[in-house]
Amino acid sequence: MKYLLPTVAGCASIALVGTLAVTAPSASAATTTPDVSKEALNVSKEGLNVPGARDSSDSTATAANQSATSNLPNIFKSQTALASAKVPDIVNASASASAASVNNVSAGLTSGGDDAAPSEGSAPSETEQAPAEGAETETPKSEDEDAKDSSDESKAEGEDDISGSVRQKTEDGVNIALISDVLDVPANNPSLVGFTFSESKSNIRIQVRTKQGSEWGNWDTLDEEQQEEAQNKGSEPMTVSNASAVQMRILGDSAPSEAELVLVDPKRDAGDAQAVAENDPVELDDQVSGDSAGAETAPEQSTEDSTDAEAASAENVDAAAGATVTNQNYVPGSSTVDTVAKKVSKPKIGSRSSWGAKAYRGSPDYASGIKQAVVHHTSGSNSYSAADVPGIIRGIQAYHQQGRGWNDIGYNVVADKYGRLWHARGGDVSKAVIGAHVAGHNTGTFGISVLGTYNSAAPPKKTRDAVASAIAWKFSINGISKATKSNLVGHRDLGQTDCPGDAFYAKLGEMRSTVNSILKTGEQPSDSKDDDKSKDDDKSKDDDKKTEKPKAKTSIEKYAEKNKLGKALGKEYDVKGVSGAKAQKFEKGTVYWSKKTGAYHLSGAIASAYKGNAVTDLGLPTSAEKGGLKGGGVAQRFEKGSFYWSKNTGAHYTSGTIMKYWGDKGTVKGHLGYPKSDVVYKKGRGEQLFEGARLVWAEGYGTTEFSPKGSIAGGVSDDNAPGGATPPGDDSTDDKSPADSGEGSADDKDSKDDKSKDDSKKDDKSKDDKKKDDKSKDDKKKDDKSKDDKKKDDKSKDDKKKDDDKKKDKPSKAEKIAAQRASIIKDAKANLGVKYVWGGTSPKSGWDCSGYTQYVYGKNGIKLPRTTSQQRYAGKEISLKDAKAGDLIWIPGHIGIISETKGQMYDAGSTRTNTTKRSYSWMLNRGAKVIRVVG
């Protein structure tokens, strides 16, 4: 089995893959050994033929998720990295860190490549909207990508120079130096993937994508990471969960030397669940963990609707845009050390043995103390469960030690999205262990990383509080009395990377405030036995009752009150079709809520259109309604898509592949304009009408624009006239029309000829019978004798019939099926050379592809429907590896019969090929399906 990398950009570019090799769990985490394999990376011809393999190099990239490593040109670097690169090595190190200033303020950075975790069910910020609502360059996230047909191009074997080869270039003309096969990954536990190499003569970009189900994600760029301990160059590991496959490509003028994929299966262990159960999440009081006055961060989104359930923060959020980072840049300078800092008690931190750490190679090195805390994210999937966490950490350590040659895992402490802390790098965690988390800044720093990617949404509040509590503890034992912009920083402040992600970086000001609140008390708030002692003694019982009243309100009621929606018009009710969702009507709108989405309301035309299929297709709203679109339109984002409204079109929703295509064309600002109908997906097809065109998507064929007027009907013209290619795809009305586009109905004159032949045979038989009658009259005696003989003959015939019947009963079901397959192949061969005629169904008048299959199968007692799309569902879909001669192979608009020769089929392709036997590899490149009807 082979493996590959998933999608992420950031500090730790490993992929926790949800499908590498699956192995049986061992008894305890301490004895579990991850499987690490290395595979040389080259140019895979099969990989180049995969749909989307040559998609644009920056189709989903923004300034924030471009690789910003030192060996890349500026055009590939994020604005944060470019700004941080300008920070002088030596800055006026005055006694006060606040005196130093650097004018490298980050522009609003956005990123759409990560699998973001929600902030405890709280609402996304107002900047998180549907695609392209806020800026012309913004595009919507999508679950799928358009399939690309690469079947007609080839590259000579042994050709090293890729320059000028169209086949090995992306759609925007960037050379593909290396590309892998599609690599399967284990489904039962997360896994990790990384890229290593020795040297590179040219600038490179490392890109990966993941496949979930039948849909490929976008190509995402991974940061290259350098460390003093490393024995090679490469990316950090990326986490991949819930994926079926991954693919990796390297863009650049030439391939790096000794390029390898490093694959890690950390395995699942019986002791993982126990390790999680024994490591309690860190919990801070609201008065300490909330935003303090004067916090150095941008305004924080409301968390009043947050929930304590870990599952709420375990889900992924499809965020439309990243957080806006304002005034958050690193301010270089030396931290002032206040020797009167109060000691803070140690928060709960899970031991190394609990997650199954391997021994440190050699002995840990220590600094005299720490002067700075550096916050990271590991990059990769956020869809891990609590029980996955020990295995993920094992995988990161295995990649660092065996893939990069480090002494141990690079981070001092790791946090998860559930608010738990884990001792990572070996050594005494209470001392200044020198890590491997920021090249050139490992001595005297404390590196703490959160598992996941946090460009579009920050980690949950409980996780941010856990990180703050660990930093406060480390600061207190090192004499640091205050967290500042120079001593609590993000990885991007010290290196050319986007780590810890835009949204997480925007929360550093809040975290500094939390750290300072903890440092003031000298204790972790959770250590206090009586929280009321910290309050004023003159608080009365009446005050306590008042503070309890808001808690009695539901999340929906609090939202309605905050947004001034007026009086409730009914009671809270369950939303049909969405598990765990609640709703309630108010005077000025209806509020919808779930643990995953938080509360948002709908009003006006969108509220009226949100019913029936719209509810189940879209899920709940995930943003407030946003106006100011072209022509005074509005939009609102939901879990699986978005609603758009304009005066001319009304309110309609879009989602999936068609929404992605529309986003790439500029959404409402592009030539397609607003949607005029709701999107509909059915049986591998999708369709939606826009102002500028009708979009039709077919599985394996991609998205096509048609005229917005009229309907798309089959049988209009023969697109397979001489010189034409293979038949076009199905149209949107397959189930209602007699034939697909590229196929048609025609009278079968041969059936009439066959009938007349049968009638002629009957006439001949009656003449023979008459002669026999005349003969019997002439000779009675002979007739009597013949009767006696006839009885004997009849008896022998009966005996023979019984023997024949016994023989017929002998063949097994498998033998009958095999015989039927052989007969289908025989009839398919017998009709080779029959001309292609659009709409034809017989060998004499000619036929099209589905007419041919219908005829051959019909000769063998199997009645197939007329069109390719109907034949697609006439049997059971099976995998290609299980295909046998006589099965059907299908893509939208074409179908053939798999032959007895591997990789070939019988089909009626076009007027150029007629009925022939040929390779079906071109169909595989378009996502072919194998359909079994026989048996």
Side-chain angles (χ1 to χ4, degrees):
M1 183 184 291
K2 294 185 178 180
Y3 307 87
L4 220 167
L5 283 172
T7 74
V8 189
C11 133
S13 313
I14 320 183
L16 252 114
V17 199
T19 11
L20 261 109
V22 179
T23 56
S26 57
S28 66
T31 59
T32 298
T33 300
D35 288 335
V36 179
S37 60
K38 300 178 181 180
E39 180 176 323
L41 188 63
N42 51 32
V43 178
S44 165
K45 293 183 179 179
E46 291 79 7
L48 283 171
N49 287 334
V50 178
R54 289 175 288 159
D55 277 357
S56 173
S57 63
D58 59 354
S59 60
T60 61
T62 64
N65 69 4
Q66 299 289 340
S67 179
T69 53
S70 58
N71 69 329
L72 299 181
N74 286 346
I75 193 170
F76 285 164
K77 298 181 181 178
S78 71
Q79 294 303 311
T80 301
L82 293 174
S84 63
K86 298 176 183 177
V87 178
D89 294 331
I90 301 176
V91 182
N92 180 20
S94 60
S96 173
S98 60
S101 64
V102 179
N103 296 323
N104 61 333
V105 180
S106 297
L109 300 178
T110 61
S111 176
D114 61 319
D115 194 11
S119 296
E120 330 159 273
S122 60
S125 64
E126 293 181 359
T127 59
E128 296 177 358
Q129 291 294 332
E133 293 170 0
E136 293 183 39
T137 58
E138 186 180 354
T139 58
K141 292 185 70 174
S142 171
E143 299 167 357
D144 3 51
E145 291 190 38
D146 296 339
K148 305 293 185 298
D149 178 18
S150 56
S151 61
D152 297 329
E153 301 169 357
S154 62
K155 180 180 183 297
E157 293 185 12
E159 182 178 333
D160 296 326
D161 183 10
I162 65 173
S163 300
S165 171
V166 176
R167 181 172 178 76
Q168 288 185 199
K169 288 182 182 291
T170 62
E171 291 176 341
D172 55 343
V174 178
N175 282 325
I176 301 175
L178 300 170
I179 188 166
S180 73
D181 293 329
V182 173
L183 307 178
D184 293 333
V185 291
N188 292 345
N189 58 272
S191 29
L192 301 95
V193 182
F195 173 67
T196 64
F197 63 98
S198 177
E199 295 293 337
S200 178
K201 296 180 181 179
S202 66
N203 296 324
I204 63 170
R205 288 177 70 184
I206 306 166
Q207 292 191 327
V208 294
R209 61 175 181 162
T210 56
K211 186 178 184 181
Q212 293 183 326
S214 62
E215 305 298 338
W216 279 106
N218 296 323
W219 285 105
D220 288 279
T221 300
L222 306 181
D223 284 350
E224 181 190 338
E225 185 71 15
Q226 297 180 355
Q227 286 295 336
E228 294 88 343
E229 292 182 2
Q231 297 176 1
N232 53 23
K233 297 179 181 180
S235 70
E236 285 216 66
M238 183 180 100
T239 306
V240 178
S241 295
N242 303 320
S244 60
V246 289
Q247 189 175 25
M248 176 182 189
R249 68 183 185 185
I250 308 300
L251 305 182
D253 292 335
S254 60
S257 59
E258 299 181 30
E260 289 185 326
L261 281 171
V262 180
L263 313 169
V264 182
D265 178 9
K267 307 179 185 178
R268 187 175 296 279
D269 189 271
D272 290 348
Q274 182 179 356
V276 172
E278 294 176 352
N279 186 14
D280 296 327
V282 175
E283 295 183 2
L284 303 185
D285 296 335
D286 292 341
Q287 68 207 47
V288 176
S289 66
D291 283 346
S292 301
E296 312 140 5
T297 183
E300 208 183 329
Q301 58 194 27
S302 172
T303 58
E304 63 181 359
D305 293 334
S306 63
T307 173
D308 292 333
E310 288 185 346
S313 61
E315 300 293 337
N316 290 327
V317 172
D318 183 15
T324 299
V325 182
T326 57
N327 202 24
Q328 282 290 309
N329 284 347
Y330 167 49
V331 179
S334 59
S335 302
T336 56
V337 178
D338 189 343
T339 56
V340 298
K342 295 180 180 180
K343 297 296 181 183
V344 174
S345 59
K346 178 183 176 181
K348 175 71 174 178
I349 301 178
S351 67
R352 278 168 55 85
S353 61
S354 69
W355 57 263
K358 299 304 176 186
Y360 191 104
R361 291 179 174 176
S363 300
D365 294 321
Y366 293 86
S368 58
I370 70 161
K371 59 184 178 181
Q372 198 172 49
V374 185
V375 178
H376 303 257
H377 68 175
T378 61
S379 291
S381 173
N382 295 343
S383 61
Y384 57 86
S385 67
D388 289 334
V389 170
I392 293 174
I393 303 175
R394 283 197 299 274
I396 296 175
Q397 184 193 43
Y399 177 81
H400 282 168
Q401 287 185 322
Q402 299 181 52
R404 302 297 309 279
W406 299 3
N407 297 326
D408 200 351
I409 186 172
Y411 313 112
N412 299 109
V413 170
V414 167
D416 61 36
K417 66 182 180 183
Y418 301 98
R420 293 183 175 86
L421 298 172
W422 304 85
H423 182 187
R425 193 171 179 87
D428 187 344
V429 71
S430 64
K431 297 181 180 179
V433 178
I434 298 176
H437 56 99
V438 184
H441 299 273
N442 289 310
T443 301
T445 60
F446 172 66
I448 183 166
S449 185
V450 178
L451 298 179
T453 302
Y454 300 103
N455 281 320
S456 297
K461 188 68 167 63
K462 63 176 68 175
T463 300
R464 305 197 301 268
D465 288 346
V467 173
S469 70
I471 293 174
W473 170 61
K474 292 293 290 185
F475 276 9
S476 73
I477 59 181
N478 283 275
I480 301 174
S481 61
K482 183 179 180 181
T484 66
K485 289 183 179 180
S486 60
N487 63 22
L488 198 168
V489 301
H491 184 186
R492 65 173 62 182
D493 293 323
L494 303 177
Q496 296 181 358
T497 175
D498 294 318
C499 178
D502 292 339
F504 194 6
Y505 188 71
K507 295 295 183 182
L508 293 189
E510 167 212 277
M511 291 171 61
R512 294 184 189 107
S513 298
T514 302
V515 170
N516 290 334
S517 296
I518 297 173
L519 289 171
K520 285 180 182 178
T521 66
E523 291 184 330
Q524 298 284 4
S526 58
D527 294 333
S528 177
K529 294 182 179 179
D530 188 359
D531 293 337
D532 291 337
K533 290 182 180 180
S534 64
K535 300 178 182 179
D536 295 333
D537 294 333
D538 59 353
K539 285 224 170 185
S540 65
K541 293 181 180 179
D542 291 337
D543 292 333
D544 292 335
K545 290 180 180 179
K546 290 180 180 179
T547 58
E548 291 174 0
K549 284 183 179 180
K551 295 180 180 179
K553 292 183 178 180
T554 66
S555 297
I556 288 180
E557 289 171 336
K558 287 189 285 185
Y559 176 91
E561 182 179 359
K562 179 181 177 181
N563 289 274
K564 300 178 181 180
L565 298 181
K567 295 180 181 179
L569 301 180
K571 294 183 179 180
E572 188 175 287
Y573 60 91
D574 294 333
V575 179
K576 188 177 181 180
V578 183
S579 178
K582 303 286 185 180
Q584 189 171 7
K585 292 184 179 181
F586 293 83
E587 290 178 313
K588 298 181 180 180
T590 302
V591 181
Y592 293 85
W593 173 92
S594 73
K595 288 181 178 180
K596 180 180 177 180
T597 63
Y600 292 98
H601 75 280
L602 303 180
S603 60
I606 292 179
S608 299
Y610 182 64
K611 58 186 177 182
N613 291 338
V615 178
T616 53
D617 289 350
L618 294 181
L620 297 190
T622 58
S623 75
E625 183 179 286
K626 180 179 179 180
L629 302 188
K630 181 180 178 181
V634 299
Q636 191 160 6
R637 173 169 284 277
F638 290 73
E639 290 177 280
K640 303 173 188 177
S642 294
F643 253 106
Y644 283 80
W645 173 91
S646 75
K647 184 177 180 181
N648 294 331
T649 61
H652 297 286
Y653 69 90
T654 185
S655 65
T657 306
I658 287 180
M659 178 176 171
K660 160 65 177 168
Y661 182 92
W662 179 54
D664 290 341
K665 301 300 180 183
T667 64
V668 299
K669 297 180 180 179
H671 71 280
L672 294 172
Y674 284 91
K676 297 182 69 175
S677 71
D678 296 333
V679 67
V680 176
Y681 292 100
K682 181 181 179 183
K683 295 183 179 180
R685 305 185 50 78
E687 181 177 350
Q688 186 165 20
L689 177 63
F690 290 82
E691 290 179 298
R694 182 186 298 274
L695 298 185
V696 176
W697 168 80
E699 185 178 14
Y701 242 58
T703 304
T704 305
E705 295 184 22
F706 294 88
S707 169
K709 297 180 180 179
S711 62
I712 309 167
V716 174
S717 62
D718 182 1
D719 289 331
N720 290 285
T726 55
D730 298 349
D731 65 57
S732 62
T733 56
D734 286 333
D735 297 333
K736 298 178 182 178
S737 64
D740 294 332
S741 178
E743 303 169 321
S745 59
D747 293 334
D748 190 349
K749 297 179 181 178
D750 297 272
S751 61
K752 296 179 181 179
D753 296 336
D754 293 339
K755 186 176 180 181
S756 63
K757 288 178 182 179
D758 292 340
D759 293 338
S760 177
K761 289 180 181 178
K762 289 180 181 179
D763 292 339
D764 294 338
K765 185 179 180 183
S766 63
K767 291 179 182 179
D768 293 337
D769 292 339
K770 188 176 181 181
K771 289 179 181 179
K772 290 180 181 178
D773 291 339
D774 294 337
K775 187 177 181 181
S776 63
K777 289 178 181 179
D778 294 336
D779 197 346
K780 251 187 177 183
K781 292 180 180 179
K782 290 181 180 181
D783 185 50
D784 293 337
K785 186 178 180 182
S786 66
K787 286 182 179 179
D788 294 335
D789 295 337
K790 188 177 180 182
K791 288 181 180 179
K792 293 179 181 180
D793 292 339
D794 291 339
K795 186 178 179 181
S796 63
K797 287 180 180 179
D798 291 340
D799 294 338
K800 186 177 180 182
K801 185 177 181 182
K802 289 180 181 179
D803 293 338
D804 291 340
D805 290 340
K806 288 181 180 178
K807 290 179 180 179
K808 288 181 180 178
D809 292 338
K810 287 182 180 180
S812 65
K813 182 180 179 181
E815 288 172 336
K816 291 180 180 179
I817 293 174
Q820 190 177 33
R821 288 184 180 278
S823 180
I824 289 173
I825 295 301
K826 180 180 178 182
D827 288 328
K829 284 182 178 179
N831 291 282
L832 292 177
V834 172
K835 64 180 178 179
Y836 175 90
V837 174
W838 182 83
T841 57
S842 73
K844 286 200 172 183
S845 61
W847 46 37
D848 55 24
C849 61
S850 60
Y852 173 53
T853 55
Q854 185 184 45
Y855 176 86
V856 172
Y857 266 70
K859 291 273 286 182
N860 289 274
I862 300 175
K863 186 176 181 180
L864 289 180
R866 176 63 185 90
T867 69
T868 58
S869 60
Q870 292 167 339
Q871 291 179 6
R872 156 75 171 86
Y873 295 99
K876 178 184 178 183
E877 182 180 329
I878 62 171
S879 65
L880 181 63
K881 65 179 182 180
D882 296 325
K884 296 181 179 180
D887 288 330
L888 297 174
I889 185 165
W890 171 93
I891 61 171
H894 192 71
I895 197 163
I897 301 171
I898 293 178
S899 76
E900 72 283 4
T901 306
K902 185 177 181 181
Q904 294 193 333
M905 66 175 174
Y906 297 104
D907 76 327
S910 68
T911 54
R912 177 171 52 85
T913 63
N914 293 314
T915 307
T916 186
K917 182 180 179 181
R918 58 175 175 157
S919 171
Y920 55 67
S921 61
W922 64 275
M923 295 178 69
L924 298 180
N925 296 332
R926 298 184 183 180
K929 307 290 185 184
V930 177
I931 311 301
R932 175 159 293 169
V933 181
V934 179

